[in-house]
Amino acid sequence: ELVGLMVKASSQPMPLSHNILPRVFSFYHHWKKIYGATFLVWFGPTARITVSDPDLIREIFTSKSEFYEKNESHPLVRQLEGDGLLSLKGEKWAHHRKIITPTFHMENLKMLIPVMGKSVLEMLGKWSEMAGSGDVDIEVSEWFQSLTEEVITRTAFGRSYEDGKAVFQLQTQQMIFAAEAFQKVFIPGYRYLPTKKNRSSWNLDKQIKKSLVKLIEQRKANASEEMSNGCPKDLLGLMIKAATKEEKSDPYTPTSTITVHDIVEECKTFFFAGKHTTSNLLTWTTILLAMHPEWQNTAREEVLRVCGSRDIPTTDDIAKLKKVNMILNESLRLYPPAIATIRRAKADVDLGSYKIPRGTELLIPIIAVHHDTELWGHDATEFNPARFSEGVARAAKHPMAFIPFGLGARTCIGQNLAILQAKMAIAIILKHFSFRLSSSYQHGPTVLMLLYPQYGAPVTFRCLTDP
Ligand code: HEM
């Protein structure tokens, strides 16, 4: 029944409606009507409880979080995401999180603003050439992927940008192979078969690791010089600094707890966690603004008023773009790039009035919480950014109803970067272009790890002023 519902739901384009839950989370939608907000499904030998009650979600992520841990990803996903922050657990996770957190401090991110702005303007320059004085159809998701890749590369590698870019290009190719292998996931042992594609993917993996090790060794060799010039706050610099400090502070321990392997894995995680999530946010926001011209105009007016003649918004401008912020939140609510997350009970634990046995998996369907009419009102499936006008905490009937970046200690470390980048890009686009859905656009939200437009995202742009 489950497979039937999924296949049926994802085969055809749908009307231009934001009521997408029956399509992308059909089993949840179907069974919630019968069993309520919390129910159990057996996936083979694994019991998985779906929890969409916000009080229980709060328990899992905050007040009783010590009883839960992340579950293991599918091996194909694990290969892509690396053994970094996303999948680490316990002390090692806490140690890495502490080291990496400063990469995302606002002071540090601010330095990226001019580079981000320049990348957006370059992209728009190309769009403008393509449009000339007329209309042009642009497949926005591909462009946004290149844009976010650029920013992630700078955040991770800073001054080693060019070398880092080459590594991430290999990782992009690897993701394409993995997506293909995923479609054959039902063939037992498929990923171990020495098919041409699997062999290419294994080779890529080796190349990625080799290039990253070379890059890390180079930076390590220059570490003392870098630190005397002020420590670089890119991911690579911070991790190398922490590793060097550990090696020095305890001469009896021959090696640091942070190894070159750890740094390699964190670089892979960064790319995996940051690129497609942020480009999806940009894609869905552009589609939503194309569908809702009244909000597009409102946001454009705000951008023109706040940014004036400045080509690239300043940090102050960014803080004043309230309407753009509301629109991004509404986009994250209706089309959250990560539609769900999973935790596993480490011990027997009480969850509300339920007794959860050790080993049980809990599925938190972020998208279902975001579309719940009991939390968001009768217009839950409509695009209405005004609901965020008094801030995120007051937008719904429960403060835990909006969780696009997760919750608690393991909340998304890159959320400030994602929002900053999205605000910059949307603001600059609005200033220079008006846009509507292309006549070839077909609405088909689908899930391939993240929430994607199944039939692409062609949007028709018209240049208002040259970028
Ligand atoms: C964790 C969503 C952008 C890096 C998470 C989680 C969510 C999420 C839901 C929590 C997963 C869980 O609890 O199981 C998003 C969305 C993004 C975004 C919607 C953009 C719109 C980014 C960016 C980066 C990033 C730009 C890095 C450059 C991470 C990492 C974690 C994480 C490393 C794991 C944190 C930990 O467990 O300590 N993200 N993310 N994310 N995200 Fe993001």
Side-chain angles (χ1 to χ4, degrees):
E1 186 190 12
L2 179 64
V3 173
L5 282 168
M6 283 173 168
V7 171
K8 197 172 96 203
S10 63
S11 56
Q12 294 290 328
M14 62 178 279
L16 294 181
S17 148
H18 307 309
N19 188 13
I20 62 172
L21 204 57
R23 179 185 172 94
V24 299
F25 227 145
S26 49
F27 86 91
Y28 170 88
H29 177 75
H30 185 66
W31 286 330
K32 189 191 171 203
K33 278 193 261 174
I34 305 172
Y35 302 113
T38 305
F39 56 85
L40 182 135
V41 182
W42 286 94
F43 284 83
T46 313
R48 192 173 279 173
I49 299 185
T50 306
V51 182
S52 55
D53 174 335
D55 283 324
L56 301 188
I57 291 176
R58 181 175 10 215
E59 271 187 48
I60 297 167
F61 286 99
T62 60
S63 56
K64 286 194 179 168
S65 62
E66 72 274 22
F67 290 99
Y68 301 95
E69 62 182 3
K70 290 193 100 165
N71 73 325
E72 264 82 50
S73 315
H74 186 279
L76 271 175
V77 179
R78 191 69 185 262
Q79 189 191 11
L80 294 175
E81 74 181 9
D83 284 326
L85 275 187
L86 267 175
S87 53
L88 289 175
K89 295 178 193 169
E91 270 179 37
K92 188 162 182 177
W93 165 78
H95 190 40
H96 282 206
R97 176 104 192 187
K98 198 168 151 209
I99 295 166
I100 296 171
T101 294
T103 318
F104 296 99
H105 281 170
M106 212 47 207
E107 280 310 304
N108 209 25
L109 295 183
K110 269 187 212 164
M111 290 192 300
L112 285 171
I113 288 183
V115 188
M116 282 182 191
K118 195 167 153 266
S119 310
V120 179
L121 283 169
E122 272 170 23
M123 178 181 83
L124 299 191
K126 291 178 194 150
W127 291 8
S128 166
E129 268 173 41
M130 287 158 69
S133 55
D135 289 347
V136 63
D137 271 12
I138 291 182
E139 175 51 63
V140 287
S141 56
E142 286 164 15
W143 288 86
F144 289 149
Q145 279 170 28
S146 310
L147 189 70
T148 51
E149 183 170 326
E150 164 112 11
V151 173
I152 292 291
T153 313
R154 291 197 187 276
T155 323
F157 296 110
R159 67 186 67 173
S160 323
Y161 170 76
E162 290 299 337
D163 294 330
K165 193 172 168 172
V167 177
F168 280 168
Q169 275 164 358
L170 296 176
Q171 212 172 331
T172 301
Q173 284 180 39
Q174 202 191 18
M175 278 187 178
I176 298 169
F177 281 123
E180 283 176 16
F182 232 37
Q183 289 166 4
K184 306 213 169 82
V185 85
F186 294 110
I187 306 174
Y190 175 78
R191 68 193 175 89
Y192 299 110
L193 297 178
T195 61
K196 199 170 164 212
K197 286 193 173 158
N198 277 349
R199 276 184 286 131
S200 307
S201 174
W202 299 332
N203 275 338
L204 274 175
D205 200 48
K206 274 195 214 140
Q207 274 186 60
I208 292 169
K209 285 187 179 144
K210 207 169 134 197
S211 315
L212 280 171
V213 169
K214 194 170 151 212
L215 186 54
I216 294 162
E217 296 297 357
Q218 273 168 6
R219 286 280 289 264
K220 261 188 135 178
N222 297 328
S224 50
E225 187 202 332
E226 282 194 7
M227 274 173 230
S228 60
N229 294 335
C231 175
K233 294 269 172 39
D234 56 0
L235 167 88
L236 207 54
L238 285 168
M239 291 215 69
I240 290 172
K241 182 184 168 201
T244 317
K245 225 164 119 187
E246 280 181 1
E247 276 163 12
K248 281 193 186 144
S249 66
D250 183 1
Y252 300 102
T253 309
T255 49
S256 148
T257 53
I258 301 170
T259 62
V260 170
H261 168 80
D262 289 335
I263 306 178
V264 167
E265 296 302 306
E266 288 297 355
C267 290
K268 289 177 73 179
T269 296
F270 244 55
F271 185 73
F272 177 83
K275 178 180 163 179
H276 288 270
T277 43
T278 315
S279 64
N280 275 2
L281 167 61
L282 278 167
T283 300
W284 286 118
T285 307
T286 309
I287 292 175
L288 284 164
L289 287 176
M291 282 180 182
H292 299 276
E294 69 292 0
W295 277 101
Q296 189 185 136
N297 290 337
T298 307
R300 184 172 298 108
E301 276 160 31
E302 180 183 67
V303 171
L304 294 175
R305 181 169 38 78
V306 169
C307 304
S309 60
R310 284 181 287 283
D311 269 341
I312 298 177
T314 61
T315 322
D316 280 353
D317 293 342
I318 293 284
K320 287 182 194 150
L321 295 175
K322 303 275 183 234
K323 295 265 174 0
V324 176
N325 209 33
M326 281 154 53
I327 289 166
L328 287 172
N329 281 338
E330 185 66 339
S331 167
L332 284 166
R333 183 184 75 82
L334 284 171
Y335 295 84
I339 67 156
T341 183
I342 299 177
R343 290 292 184 271
R344 187 173 36 219
K346 285 198 278 185
D348 293 352
V349 53
D350 290 343
L351 174 65
S353 58
Y354 299 94
K355 303 245 174 260
I356 307 289
R358 178 169 165 262
T360 310
E361 287 190 354
L362 304 162
L363 175 91
I364 294 82
I366 297 174
I367 191 169
V369 180
H370 287 184
H371 283 242
D372 191 334
T373 44
E374 282 168 31
L375 297 169
W376 295 94
H378 64 278
D379 67 344
T381 55
E382 278 159 38
F383 179 72
N384 177 18
R387 69 177 93 239
F388 285 100
S389 57
E390 288 183 38
V392 164
R394 291 178 161 210
K397 289 188 188 139
H398 196 289
M400 302 293 146
F402 184 62
I403 46 172
F405 295 106
L407 207 61
R410 300 211 63 155
T411 184
C412 176
I413 199 170
Q415 55 186 290
N416 286 341
L417 174 67
I419 294 293
L420 178 66
Q421 193 182 355
K423 267 184 161 182
M424 290 284 293
I426 293 292
I428 304 178
I429 293 172
L430 283 166
K431 189 168 170 191
H432 295 289
F433 289 88
S434 70
F435 48 97
R436 59 189 152 79
L437 286 183
S438 156
S439 54
S440 63
Y441 177 80
Q442 290 185 303
H443 198 45
T446 194
V447 180
L448 189 72
M449 280 194 274
L450 298 174
L451 185 62
Y452 283 96
Q454 185 169 345
Y455 312 102
V459 175
T460 308
F461 285 83
R462 171 167 290 214
C463 201
L464 298 171
T465 55
D466 271 337

